[in-house]
Amino acid sequence: MEYRLLGGSGFRVPVLSLGTATFGGGGDFFSKWGTSDLAEATRMVDLCLDAGVTLFDTADVYSTGLSEEILGQAIQGRRDRLLLSTKSTFRMSDDPNDVGSSRFHIIRSVEASLRRLGTDYVDIYTMHSFDAKTQVEETLRALDDLVSAGKVRYLACSNFSGWHLMKSLAVSDRYGWSRYVAHQAYYSLVGREYEWELMPLALDQKVGTLVWSPLAGGRLSGKFRRANPMPEGTRIQQGGGEGPSLPADWFYNLIDVLDAVAAETGKSVAQVALNWLLQRPTVASVIIGARNEEQLQQNLGAVGWNLSTEQVARLDAASEREKTYPYWHQNGFHERNPFPAAPPR
């Protein structure tokens, strides 16, 4: 397993990590993602550790804490062999203060997550979304205090806009507080908007990318073809998928190219899509999910080999979509304002 530095920190993470939103399956939304019980979750942790996947990602909101509880039990007795990442910001109850990135909510959320995970610290703590109703200074000071207290090792954000992240980094720098070293972001062959502004920012500010939904909620799993209807029981069909809708012709043209590259490499469509991500700038780790052991084994096959430069270029071309303003205008000044993931001109 390859390990990469996480942003500008000296902390190394495996290029694949396991997302545990499928653990527990509580509630209408997360039950569509997966329903792994403790036995299955423990088996997945075993397989990951054997493969060198030592980073496990969860969140308090996943099945309202049940994912953290199951993960905590599955890793019992081997905390020193692995890395833990969890998140907070989304509403957890009807309590008026049980939401957001206030000092009150952050500290309460960390303590609750530590209890559920059965540990006294987490390696990465992530603000799951931006809270525009709380001053950035309040959020970052609370997070810095948690780092100083040893309850959190490194900080990350998720689903931030460019200005959210840049303002946060500037405030941290102004006061000498701990910075966000990673951005957990939606990114895949069918969702490349991350490249337009957030990736250039990440390169400039040394923020690593932790990719969530690398197979776009199953769209790039290899199940869907131009002539094949969406199979029964898929997460997307049941309303558990995320991300915008895709133009059908564009999507199936991309699948055609993925099929061709998969045939050339002897890999699956999903493995090709994951390997493409591992060759993008700023990407430190790709968070894979699995509803069962078979899916996990398939996803683990995305490492240990690389697509050729020519194959990456074909996938780039097939997945390119029209940019919104101001990015299409900036693209016209490619000579002095290149997109980091675009091929040289």
Side-chain angles (χ1 to χ4, degrees), residues 67-102:
S67 170
E68 289 182 322
E69 290 180 13
I70 291 176
L71 178 59
Q73 294 175 58
I75 65 170
Q76 197 168 31
R78 44 188 175 174
R79 175 67 180 92
D80 59 343
R81 294 180 55 197
L82 50 85
L83 308 172
L84 286 177
S85 169
T86 193
K87 304 181 283 293
S88 72
T89 298
F90 292 119
R91 178 167 290 285
M92 288 289 287
S93 73
D94 293 334
D95 184 326
N97 283 308
D98 205 7
V99 64
S101 300
S102 66

PDB file of all heavy atoms in Angstrom, residues 67-102:
ATOM      1  N   SER A  67     -22.652   4.115  13.262  1.00  0.00           N
ATOM      2  CA  SER A  67     -21.437   3.768  12.516  1.00  0.00           C
ATOM      3  C   SER A  67     -20.206   3.884  13.413  1.00  0.00           C
ATOM      4  O   SER A  67     -19.333   3.003  13.410  1.00  0.00           O
ATOM      5  CB  SER A  67     -21.288   4.681  11.297  1.00  0.00           C
ATOM      6  OG  SER A  67     -20.028   4.522  10.682  1.00  0.00           O
ATOM      7  N   GLU A  68     -20.117   4.972  14.169  1.00  0.00           N
ATOM      8  CA  GLU A  68     -18.982   5.136  15.080  1.00  0.00           C
ATOM      9  C   GLU A  68     -18.953   4.024  16.127  1.00  0.00           C
ATOM     10  O   GLU A  68     -17.879   3.490  16.443  1.00  0.00           O
ATOM     11  CB  GLU A  68     -19.054   6.494  15.773  1.00  0.00           C
ATOM     12  CG  GLU A  68     -18.756   7.678  14.874  1.00  0.00           C
ATOM     13  CD  GLU A  68     -18.794   9.002  15.619  1.00  0.00           C
ATOM     14  OE1 GLU A  68     -19.669   9.162  16.502  1.00  0.00           O
ATOM     15  OE2 GLU A  68     -17.969   9.875  15.318  1.00  0.00           O
ATOM     16  N   GLU A  69     -20.112   3.665  16.651  1.00  0.00           N
ATOM     17  CA  GLU A  69     -20.164   2.620  17.673  1.00  0.00           C
ATOM     18  C   GLU A  69     -19.668   1.293  17.129  1.00  0.00           C
ATOM     19  O   GLU A  69     -18.862   0.594  17.771  1.00  0.00           O
ATOM     20  CB  GLU A  69     -21.588   2.473  18.200  1.00  0.00           C
ATOM     21  CG  GLU A  69     -22.073   3.640  19.040  1.00  0.00           C
ATOM     22  CD  GLU A  69     -23.498   3.437  19.526  1.00  0.00           C
ATOM     23  OE1 GLU A  69     -24.002   2.290  19.421  1.00  0.00           O
ATOM     24  OE2 GLU A  69     -24.104   4.402  20.005  1.00  0.00           O
ATOM     25  N   ILE A  70     -20.152   0.922  15.938  1.00  0.00           N
ATOM     26  CA  ILE A  70     -19.748  -0.359  15.358  1.00  0.00           C
ATOM     27  C   ILE A  70     -18.265  -0.346  15.003  1.00  0.00           C
ATOM     28  O   ILE A  70     -17.542  -1.318  15.260  1.00  0.00           O
ATOM     29  CB  ILE A  70     -20.607  -0.675  14.114  1.00  0.00           C
ATOM     30  CG1 ILE A  70     -22.054  -0.967  14.548  1.00  0.00           C
ATOM     31  CG2 ILE A  70     -20.040  -1.853  13.326  1.00  0.00           C
ATOM     32  CD1 ILE A  70     -23.012  -1.188  13.398  1.00  0.00           C
ATOM     33  N   LEU A  71     -17.797   0.756  14.427  1.00  0.00           N
ATOM     34  CA  LEU A  71     -16.372   0.855  14.108  1.00  0.00           C
ATOM     35  C   LEU A  71     -15.528   0.750  15.375  1.00  0.00           C
ATOM     36  O   LEU A  71     -14.501   0.053  15.395  1.00  0.00           O
ATOM     37  CB  LEU A  71     -16.085   2.168  13.381  1.00  0.00           C
ATOM     38  CG  LEU A  71     -14.618   2.437  13.026  1.00  0.00           C
ATOM     39  CD1 LEU A  71     -14.050   1.335  12.133  1.00  0.00           C
ATOM     40  CD2 LEU A  71     -14.474   3.800  12.347  1.00  0.00           C
ATOM     41  N   GLY A  72     -15.951   1.429  16.433  1.00  0.00           N
ATOM     42  CA  GLY A  72     -15.210   1.369  17.686  1.00  0.00           C
ATOM     43  C   GLY A  72     -15.096  -0.050  18.227  1.00  0.00           C
ATOM     44  O   GLY A  72     -14.032  -0.459  18.720  1.00  0.00           O
ATOM     45  N   GLN A  73     -16.181  -0.819  18.119  1.00  0.00           N
ATOM     46  CA  GLN A  73     -16.137  -2.209  18.583  1.00  0.00           C
ATOM     47  C   GLN A  73     -15.293  -3.082  17.657  1.00  0.00           C
ATOM     48  O   GLN A  73     -14.585  -3.989  18.109  1.00  0.00           O
ATOM     49  CB  GLN A  73     -17.557  -2.757  18.666  1.00  0.00           C
ATOM     50  CG  GLN A  73     -18.424  -2.091  19.730  1.00  0.00           C
ATOM     51  CD  GLN A  73     -19.858  -2.580  19.685  1.00  0.00           C
ATOM     52  OE1 GLN A  73     -20.120  -3.783  19.815  1.00  0.00           O
ATOM     53  NE2 GLN A  73     -20.789  -1.664  19.501  1.00  0.00           N
ATOM     54  N   ALA A  74     -15.341  -2.784  16.349  1.00  0.00           N
ATOM     55  CA  ALA A  74     -14.602  -3.594  15.375  1.00  0.00           C
ATOM     56  C   ALA A  74     -13.092  -3.430  15.498  1.00  0.00           C
ATOM     57  O   ALA A  74     -12.337  -4.330  15.117  1.00  0.00           O
ATOM     58  CB  ALA A  74     -15.052  -3.238  13.962  1.00  0.00           C
ATOM     59  N   ILE A  75     -12.630  -2.285  16.019  1.00  0.00           N
ATOM     60  CA  ILE A  75     -11.194  -2.045  16.131  1.00  0.00           C
ATOM     61  C   ILE A  75     -10.683  -2.267  17.540  1.00  0.00           C
ATOM     62  O   ILE A  75      -9.509  -2.019  17.821  1.00  0.00           O
ATOM     63  CB  ILE A  75     -10.835  -0.612  15.679  1.00  0.00           C
ATOM     64  CG1 ILE A  75     -11.463   0.426  16.631  1.00  0.00           C
ATOM     65  CG2 ILE A  75     -11.269  -0.369  14.236  1.00  0.00           C
ATOM     66  CD1 ILE A  75     -10.972   1.848  16.407  1.00  0.00           C
ATOM     67  N   GLN A  76     -11.530  -2.735  18.406  1.00  0.00           N
ATOM     68  CA  GLN A  76     -11.159  -2.881  19.813  1.00  0.00           C
ATOM     69  C   GLN A  76      -9.897  -3.734  19.945  1.00  0.00           C
ATOM     70  O   GLN A  76      -9.776  -4.802  19.338  1.00  0.00           O
ATOM     71  CB  GLN A  76     -12.306  -3.524  20.596  1.00  0.00           C
ATOM     72  CG  GLN A  76     -12.207  -3.365  22.094  1.00  0.00           C
ATOM     73  CD  GLN A  76     -13.500  -3.754  22.787  1.00  0.00           C
ATOM     74  OE1 GLN A  76     -14.231  -4.619  22.306  1.00  0.00           O
ATOM     75  NE2 GLN A  76     -13.783  -3.132  23.918  1.00  0.00           N
ATOM     76  N   GLY A  77      -8.940  -3.244  20.729  1.00  0.00           N
ATOM     77  CA  GLY A  77      -7.705  -3.972  20.953  1.00  0.00           C
ATOM     78  C   GLY A  77      -6.628  -3.748  19.907  1.00  0.00           C
ATOM     79  O   GLY A  77      -5.529  -4.297  20.028  1.00  0.00           O
ATOM     80  N   ARG A  78      -6.915  -2.945  18.892  1.00  0.00           N
ATOM     81  CA  ARG A  78      -5.904  -2.701  17.852  1.00  0.00           C
ATOM     82  C   ARG A  78      -5.884  -1.236  17.401  1.00  0.00           C
ATOM     83  O   ARG A  78      -5.537  -0.933  16.269  1.00  0.00           O
ATOM     84  CB  ARG A  78      -6.126  -3.630  16.670  1.00  0.00           C
ATOM     85  CG  ARG A  78      -7.578  -3.781  16.228  1.00  0.00           C
ATOM     86  CD  ARG A  78      -7.721  -4.853  15.183  1.00  0.00           C
ATOM     87  NE  ARG A  78      -9.102  -5.094  14.833  1.00  0.00           N
ATOM     88  CZ  ARG A  78      -9.476  -5.917  13.852  1.00  0.00           C
ATOM     89  NH1 ARG A  78      -8.571  -6.530  13.123  1.00  0.00           N
ATOM     90  NH2 ARG A  78     -10.750  -6.118  13.589  1.00  0.00           N
ATOM     91  N   ARG A  79      -6.240  -0.358  18.319  1.00  0.00           N
ATOM     92  CA  ARG A  79      -6.256   1.070  17.994  1.00  0.00           C
ATOM     93  C   ARG A  79      -4.898   1.559  17.510  1.00  0.00           C
ATOM     94  O   ARG A  79      -4.810   2.430  16.635  1.00  0.00           O
ATOM     95  CB  ARG A  79      -6.693   1.863  19.235  1.00  0.00           C
ATOM     96  CG  ARG A  79      -6.632   3.388  19.085  1.00  0.00           C
ATOM     97  CD  ARG A  79      -7.657   3.879  18.075  1.00  0.00           C
ATOM     98  NE  ARG A  79      -7.642   5.319  17.905  1.00  0.00           N
ATOM     99  CZ  ARG A  79      -6.915   5.973  16.987  1.00  0.00           C
ATOM    100  NH1 ARG A  79      -6.110   5.294  16.173  1.00  0.00           N
ATOM    101  NH2 ARG A  79      -6.982   7.282  16.873  1.00  0.00           N
ATOM    102  N   ASP A  80      -3.819   0.994  18.042  1.00  0.00           N
ATOM    103  CA  ASP A  80      -2.488   1.471  17.683  1.00  0.00           C
ATOM    104  C   ASP A  80      -2.058   1.023  16.285  1.00  0.00           C
ATOM    105  O   ASP A  80      -1.028   1.468  15.778  1.00  0.00           O
ATOM    106  CB  ASP A  80      -1.457   0.999  18.708  1.00  0.00           C
ATOM    107  CG  ASP A  80      -1.392  -0.522  18.844  1.00  0.00           C
ATOM    108  OD1 ASP A  80      -2.351  -1.201  18.402  1.00  0.00           O
ATOM    109  OD2 ASP A  80      -0.388  -1.030  19.374  1.00  0.00           O
ATOM    110  N   ARG A  81      -2.857   0.191  15.630  1.00  0.00           N
ATOM    111  CA  ARG A  81      -2.515  -0.290  14.290  1.00  0.00           C
ATOM    112  C   ARG A  81      -3.186   0.512  13.189  1.00  0.00           C
ATOM    113  O   ARG A  81      -2.958   0.248  12.005  1.00  0.00           O
ATOM    114  CB  ARG A  81      -2.925  -1.762  14.132  1.00  0.00           C
ATOM    115  CG  ARG A  81      -2.175  -2.747  15.011  1.00  0.00           C
ATOM    116  CD  ARG A  81      -2.668  -4.154  14.762  1.00  0.00           C
ATOM    117  NE  ARG A  81      -2.589  -4.515  13.344  1.00  0.00           N
ATOM    118  CZ  ARG A  81      -3.251  -5.547  12.793  1.00  0.00           C
ATOM    119  NH1 ARG A  81      -4.051  -6.296  13.552  1.00  0.00           N
ATOM    120  NH2 ARG A  81      -3.135  -5.805  11.507  1.00  0.00           N
ATOM    121  N   LEU A  82      -4.020   1.482  13.552  1.00  0.00           N
ATOM    122  CA  LEU A  82      -4.814   2.135  12.522  1.00  0.00           C
ATOM    123  C   LEU A  82      -5.026   3.613  12.821  1.00  0.00           C
ATOM    124  O   LEU A  82      -4.690   4.115  13.891  1.00  0.00           O
ATOM    125  CB  LEU A  82      -6.158   1.416  12.358  1.00  0.00           C
ATOM    126  CG  LEU A  82      -6.975   1.151  13.629  1.00  0.00           C
ATOM    127  CD1 LEU A  82      -7.817   2.345  13.994  1.00  0.00           C
ATOM    128  CD2 LEU A  82      -7.835  -0.085  13.460  1.00  0.00           C
ATOM    129  N   LEU A  83      -5.602   4.300  11.833  1.00  0.00           N
ATOM    130  CA  LEU A  83      -5.891   5.726  11.910  1.00  0.00           C
ATOM    131  C   LEU A  83      -7.402   5.928  11.841  1.00  0.00           C
ATOM    132  O   LEU A  83      -8.088   5.246  11.065  1.00  0.00           O
ATOM    133  CB  LEU A  83      -5.226   6.471  10.750  1.00  0.00           C
ATOM    134  CG  LEU A  83      -3.735   6.221  10.564  1.00  0.00           C
ATOM    135  CD1 LEU A  83      -3.240   6.863   9.264  1.00  0.00           C
ATOM    136  CD2 LEU A  83      -2.945   6.747  11.754  1.00  0.00           C
ATOM    137  N   LEU A  84      -7.906   6.865  12.632  1.00  0.00           N
ATOM    138  CA  LEU A  84      -9.339   7.140  12.678  1.00  0.00           C
ATOM    139  C   LEU A  84      -9.635   8.567  12.244  1.00  0.00           C
ATOM    140  O   LEU A  84      -8.960   9.512  12.643  1.00  0.00           O
ATOM    141  CB  LEU A  84      -9.890   6.936  14.088  1.00  0.00           C
ATOM    142  CG  LEU A  84     -10.047   5.503  14.595  1.00  0.00           C
ATOM    143  CD1 LEU A  84     -10.541   5.513  16.033  1.00  0.00           C
ATOM    144  CD2 LEU A  84     -10.987   4.708  13.701  1.00  0.00           C
ATOM    145  N   SER A  85     -10.677   8.704  11.441  1.00  0.00           N
ATOM    146  CA  SER A  85     -11.161  10.016  11.010  1.00  0.00           C
ATOM    147  C   SER A  85     -12.657  10.079  11.248  1.00  0.00           C
ATOM    148  O   SER A  85     -13.392   9.154  10.871  1.00  0.00           O
ATOM    149  CB  SER A  85     -10.863  10.208   9.521  1.00  0.00           C
ATOM    150  OG  SER A  85     -11.527  11.343   9.008  1.00  0.00           O
ATOM    151  N   THR A  86     -13.119  11.141  11.898  1.00  0.00           N
ATOM    152  CA  THR A  86     -14.554  11.328  12.050  1.00  0.00           C
ATOM    153  C   THR A  86     -14.905  12.795  11.810  1.00  0.00           C
ATOM    154  O   THR A  86     -14.032  13.645  11.675  1.00  0.00           O
ATOM    155  CB  THR A  86     -15.066  10.832  13.413  1.00  0.00           C
ATOM    156  OG1 THR A  86     -16.500  10.759  13.382  1.00  0.00           O
ATOM    157  CG2 THR A  86     -14.627  11.742  14.551  1.00  0.00           C
ATOM    158  N   LYS A  87     -16.204  13.063  11.753  1.00  0.00           N
ATOM    159  CA  LYS A  87     -16.678  14.380  11.331  1.00  0.00           C
ATOM    160  C   LYS A  87     -17.877  14.807  12.177  1.00  0.00           C
ATOM    161  O   LYS A  87     -18.585  13.965  12.740  1.00  0.00           O
ATOM    162  CB  LYS A  87     -17.097  14.322   9.848  1.00  0.00           C
ATOM    163  CG  LYS A  87     -16.008  13.841   8.925  1.00  0.00           C
ATOM    164  CD  LYS A  87     -16.463  13.814   7.461  1.00  0.00           C
ATOM    165  CE  LYS A  87     -17.341  12.643   7.102  1.00  0.00           C
ATOM    166  NZ  LYS A  87     -16.603  11.345   7.178  1.00  0.00           N
ATOM    167  N   SER A  88     -18.114  16.127  12.188  1.00  0.00           N
ATOM    168  CA  SER A  88     -19.342  16.658  12.785  1.00  0.00           C
ATOM    169  C   SER A  88     -19.690  17.964  12.111  1.00  0.00           C
ATOM    170  O   SER A  88     -18.869  18.562  11.426  1.00  0.00           O
ATOM    171  CB  SER A  88     -19.170  16.881  14.298  1.00  0.00           C
ATOM    172  OG  SER A  88     -18.324  18.009  14.534  1.00  0.00           O
ATOM    173  N   THR A  89     -20.882  18.408  12.264  1.00  0.00           N
ATOM    174  CA  THR A  89     -21.459  19.699  11.872  1.00  0.00           C
ATOM    175  C   THR A  89     -22.962  19.552  11.678  1.00  0.00           C
ATOM    176  O   THR A  89     -23.736  20.408  12.074  1.00  0.00           O
ATOM    177  CB  THR A  89     -20.868  20.285  10.575  1.00  0.00           C
ATOM    178  OG1 THR A  89     -19.467  20.524  10.740  1.00  0.00           O
ATOM    179  CG2 THR A  89     -21.523  21.641  10.250  1.00  0.00           C
ATOM    180  N   PHE A  90     -23.400  18.441  11.070  1.00  0.00           N
ATOM    181  CA  PHE A  90     -24.821  18.269  10.771  1.00  0.00           C
ATOM    182  C   PHE A  90     -25.625  18.006  12.048  1.00  0.00           C
ATOM    183  O   PHE A  90     -25.093  17.561  13.062  1.00  0.00           O
ATOM    184  CB  PHE A  90     -25.030  17.141   9.764  1.00  0.00           C
ATOM    185  CG  PHE A  90     -24.493  17.461   8.399  1.00  0.00           C
ATOM    186  CD1 PHE A  90     -23.487  16.693   7.827  1.00  0.00           C
ATOM    187  CD2 PHE A  90     -24.979  18.550   7.692  1.00  0.00           C
ATOM    188  CE1 PHE A  90     -22.985  17.005   6.573  1.00  0.00           C
ATOM    189  CE2 PHE A  90     -24.487  18.865   6.439  1.00  0.00           C
ATOM    190  CZ  PHE A  90     -23.482  18.092   5.882  1.00  0.00           C
ATOM    191  N   ARG A  91     -26.917  18.286  11.952  1.00  0.00           N
ATOM    192  CA  ARG A  91     -27.802  18.168  13.113  1.00  0.00           C
ATOM    193  C   ARG A  91     -27.877  16.723  13.593  1.00  0.00           C
ATOM    194  O   ARG A  91     -28.042  15.796  12.802  1.00  0.00           O
ATOM    195  CB  ARG A  91     -29.194  18.681  12.770  1.00  0.00           C
ATOM    196  CG  ARG A  91     -30.183  18.547  13.922  1.00  0.00           C
ATOM    197  CD  ARG A  91     -31.452  19.335  13.691  1.00  0.00           C
ATOM    198  NE  ARG A  91     -31.236  20.776  13.765  1.00  0.00           N
ATOM    199  CZ  ARG A  91     -31.048  21.453  14.900  1.00  0.00           C
ATOM    200  NH1 ARG A  91     -31.035  20.806  16.069  1.00  0.00           N
ATOM    201  NH2 ARG A  91     -30.876  22.751  14.880  1.00  0.00           N
ATOM    202  N   MET A  92     -27.778  16.550  14.919  1.00  0.00           N
ATOM    203  CA  MET A  92     -27.837  15.219  15.520  1.00  0.00           C
ATOM    204  C   MET A  92     -29.096  14.990  16.351  1.00  0.00           C
ATOM    205  O   MET A  92     -29.415  13.852  16.682  1.00  0.00           O
ATOM    206  CB  MET A  92     -26.602  15.011  16.403  1.00  0.00           C
ATOM    207  CG  MET A  92     -25.312  14.834  15.623  1.00  0.00           C
ATOM    208  SD  MET A  92     -25.236  13.256  14.752  1.00  0.00           S
ATOM    209  CE  MET A  92     -24.957  12.132  16.126  1.00  0.00           C
ATOM    210  N   SER A  93     -29.799  16.075  16.739  1.00  0.00           N
ATOM    211  CA  SER A  93     -31.013  15.926  17.531  1.00  0.00           C
ATOM    212  C   SER A  93     -31.822  17.209  17.426  1.00  0.00           C
ATOM    213  O   SER A  93     -31.434  18.156  16.727  1.00  0.00           O
ATOM    214  CB  SER A  93     -30.664  15.641  19.000  1.00  0.00           C
ATOM    215  OG  SER A  93     -30.179  16.811  19.628  1.00  0.00           O
ATOM    216  N   ASP A  94     -32.927  17.267  18.156  1.00  0.00           N
ATOM    217  CA  ASP A  94     -33.764  18.472  18.167  1.00  0.00           C
ATOM    218  C   ASP A  94     -33.218  19.568  19.080  1.00  0.00           C
ATOM    219  O   ASP A  94     -33.744  20.679  19.093  1.00  0.00           O
ATOM    220  CB  ASP A  94     -35.191  18.114  18.616  1.00  0.00           C
ATOM    221  CG  ASP A  94     -35.902  17.241  17.593  1.00  0.00           C
ATOM    222  OD1 ASP A  94     -35.537  17.319  16.404  1.00  0.00           O
ATOM    223  OD2 ASP A  94     -36.809  16.489  17.985  1.00  0.00           O
ATOM    224  N   ASP A  95     -32.193  19.266  19.839  1.00  0.00           N
ATOM    225  CA  ASP A  95     -31.558  20.267  20.698  1.00  0.00           C
ATOM    226  C   ASP A  95     -31.103  21.441  19.830  1.00  0.00           C
ATOM    227  O   ASP A  95     -30.395  21.246  18.833  1.00  0.00           O
ATOM    228  CB  ASP A  95     -30.358  19.619  21.392  1.00  0.00           C
ATOM    229  CG  ASP A  95     -29.668  20.549  22.381  1.00  0.00           C
ATOM    230  OD1 ASP A  95     -29.627  21.770  22.127  1.00  0.00           O
ATOM    231  OD2 ASP A  95     -29.134  20.048  23.386  1.00  0.00           O
ATOM    232  N   PRO A  96     -31.463  22.672  20.167  1.00  0.00           N
ATOM    233  CA  PRO A  96     -31.096  23.824  19.340  1.00  0.00           C
ATOM    234  C   PRO A  96     -29.596  23.976  19.102  1.00  0.00           C
ATOM    235  O   PRO A  96     -29.179  24.540  18.089  1.00  0.00           O
ATOM    236  CB  PRO A  96     -31.641  25.023  20.138  1.00  0.00           C
ATOM    237  CG  PRO A  96     -32.727  24.463  20.982  1.00  0.00           C
ATOM    238  CD  PRO A  96     -32.309  23.068  21.321  1.00  0.00           C
ATOM    239  N   ASN A  97     -28.777  23.480  20.025  1.00  0.00           N
ATOM    240  CA  ASN A  97     -27.326  23.612  19.894  1.00  0.00           C
ATOM    241  C   ASN A  97     -26.638  22.352  19.375  1.00  0.00           C
ATOM    242  O   ASN A  97     -25.404  22.307  19.308  1.00  0.00           O
ATOM    243  CB  ASN A  97     -26.700  23.996  21.236  1.00  0.00           C
ATOM    244  CG  ASN A  97     -26.908  25.468  21.559  1.00  0.00           C
ATOM    245  OD1 ASN A  97     -26.598  26.330  20.740  1.00  0.00           O
ATOM    246  ND2 ASN A  97     -27.446  25.744  22.731  1.00  0.00           N
ATOM    247  N   ASP A  98     -27.417  21.362  18.997  1.00  0.00           N
ATOM    248  CA  ASP A  98     -26.828  20.098  18.527  1.00  0.00           C
ATOM    249  C   ASP A  98     -26.648  20.114  17.014  1.00  0.00           C
ATOM    250  O   ASP A  98     -27.040  19.185  16.303  1.00  0.00           O
ATOM    251  CB  ASP A  98     -27.698  18.919  18.965  1.00  0.00           C
ATOM    252  CG  ASP A  98     -26.894  17.622  19.072  1.00  0.00           C
ATOM    253  OD1 ASP A  98     -25.659  17.683  18.932  1.00  0.00           O
ATOM    254  OD2 ASP A  98     -27.508  16.563  19.293  1.00  0.00           O
ATOM    255  N   VAL A  99     -26.014  21.170  16.517  1.00  0.00           N
ATOM    256  CA  VAL A  99     -25.805  21.347  15.077  1.00  0.00           C
ATOM    257  C   VAL A  99     -24.753  22.441  14.887  1.00  0.00           C
ATOM    258  O   VAL A  99     -24.570  23.304  15.755  1.00  0.00           O
ATOM    259  CB  VAL A  99     -27.127  21.748  14.370  1.00  0.00           C
ATOM    260  CG1 VAL A  99     -27.635  23.095  14.842  1.00  0.00           C
ATOM    261  CG2 VAL A  99     -26.977  21.724  12.858  1.00  0.00           C
ATOM    262  N   GLY A 100     -24.056  22.393  13.771  1.00  0.00           N
ATOM    263  CA  GLY A 100     -23.166  23.483  13.404  1.00  0.00           C
ATOM    264  C   GLY A 100     -21.746  23.345  13.915  1.00  0.00           C
ATOM    265  O   GLY A 100     -21.323  22.287  14.384  1.00  0.00           O
ATOM    266  N   SER A 101     -20.998  24.450  13.814  1.00  0.00           N
ATOM    267  CA  SER A 101     -19.573  24.459  14.154  1.00  0.00           C
ATOM    268  C   SER A 101     -19.259  25.445  15.277  1.00  0.00           C
ATOM    269  O   SER A 101     -18.192  26.063  15.300  1.00  0.00           O
ATOM    270  CB  SER A 101     -18.741  24.794  12.911  1.00  0.00           C
ATOM    271  OG  SER A 101     -18.972  23.836  11.895  1.00  0.00           O
ATOM    272  N   SER A 102     -20.204  25.614  16.196  1.00  0.00           N
ATOM    273  CA  SER A 102     -19.947  26.451  17.371  1.00  0.00           C
ATOM    274  C   SER A 102     -18.993  25.723  18.309  1.00  0.00           C
ATOM    275  O   SER A 102     -18.841  24.493  18.247  1.00  0.00           O
ATOM    276  CB  SER A 102     -21.249  26.751  18.109  1.00  0.00           C
ATOM    277  OG  SER A 102     -21.776  25.554  18.665  1.00  0.00           O
TER     278      SER A 102
END
